Amino acid sequence: MAEEDESLQWYSSRDRTIIPLDARFRYPKSLQRVLNSNRFTVAINRDFKAVVAGCANRETTWISKELQEIYWALYQTGWAYSFETWLGDELAGGILGIVIGGLFIGESMFYRIPDGSKVAMVKLVEQLRSHSFVLFDAQIMNPHLERFGAYRITDIEYQQLLKKALLRRCSLI
């Protein structure tokens, strides 16, 4: 993560937040109407740079210019992905992540149009399930993720799931 002076620091948590890929995943009932309307379409890597920029576009951000360049290099080598929602030709929201084996590491998410990131979350979980992913690491809990059934696990539990995930060969696409 970038500090205020934009120097990069390595952070690790002993308490990980996981988005469930099983029946524990949930979302607000009001979101079901939005999903049923099919007003949003989803895409993967349609505009990776715009998703990274959207994730970084905050008053206080940990995604510095240098990190944006690092994510671009990871994207070019097939490690980083953007999972996007679109309203017509307008980017509505997205999730930036890294894929390693059967592990999806959610780095950040954003929205420009209400419900854009929520729809992205639901559709991403569906995609991860359909491609046999083991683990969706959201890293740090927040109230938004909690609404989707996110939960915390210990480092020991995380390491066990990580070992299973790294044995899988999964693709987001």
Side-chain angles (χ1 to χ4, degrees):
M1 297 175 109
E3 296 292 326
E4 284 184 31
D5 67 359
E6 296 207 5
S7 65
L8 297 183
Q9 302 296 321
W10 186 266
Y11 290 92
S12 181
S13 175
R14 296 276 177 231
D15 194 29
R16 294 285 192 153
T17 296
I18 303 301
I19 304 292
L21 297 177
D22 57 18
R24 293 175 286 182
F25 180 77
R26 64 179 186 274
Y27 50 87
K29 289 187 192 272
S30 60
L31 187 56
Q32 188 60 55
R33 284 189 293 278
V34 175
L35 291 162
N36 288 342
S37 75
N38 291 319
R39 61 182 253 229
F40 293 105
T41 58
V42 296
I44 299 171
N45 295 338
R46 180 171 162 190
D47 196 343
F48 181 85
K49 283 188 173 183
V51 171
V52 174
C55 290
N57 186 20
R58 297 189 168 114
E59 194 172 310
T60 304
T61 184
W62 58 270
I63 303 176
S64 65
K65 294 289 183 205
E66 184 180 4
L67 268 175
Q68 290 180 50
E69 291 171 12
I70 290 168
Y71 283 125
W72 180 246
L74 288 168
Y75 165 76
Q76 290 179 308
T77 56
W79 295 98
Y81 292 84
S82 61
F83 196 88
E84 310 153 2
T85 51
W86 292 82
L87 186 59
D89 289 332
E90 188 176 355
L91 180 61
I95 300 172
L96 168 64
I98 295 172
V99 172
I100 304 170
L103 165 67
F104 182 88
I105 305 166
E107 293 290 309
S108 187
M109 62 191 304
F110 82 102
Y111 73 93
R112 291 184 182 152
I113 297 172
D115 298 320
S117 65
K118 294 174 190 166
V119 170
M121 176 68 79
V122 172
K123 295 298 186 177
L124 174 57
V125 167
E126 289 174 0
Q127 186 81 358
L128 295 174
R129 285 173 174 167
S130 71
H131 287 81
S132 302
F133 275 75
V134 173
L135 183 58
F136 183 167
D137 181 355
Q139 301 179 53
I140 301 170
M141 180 64 81
N142 64 46
H144 178 68
L145 296 178
E146 206 165 19
R147 294 177 70 195
F148 289 91
Y151 62 96
R152 291 182 175 97
I153 61 173
T154 66
D155 189 50
I156 292 170
E157 293 169 306
Y158 181 80
Q159 294 300 325
Q160 291 169 343
L161 284 171
L162 181 60
K163 284 178 186 175
K164 284 184 190 176
L166 294 177
L167 293 175
R168 289 268 172 93
R169 289 189 173 210
C170 297
S171 172
L172 194 57
I173 300 173

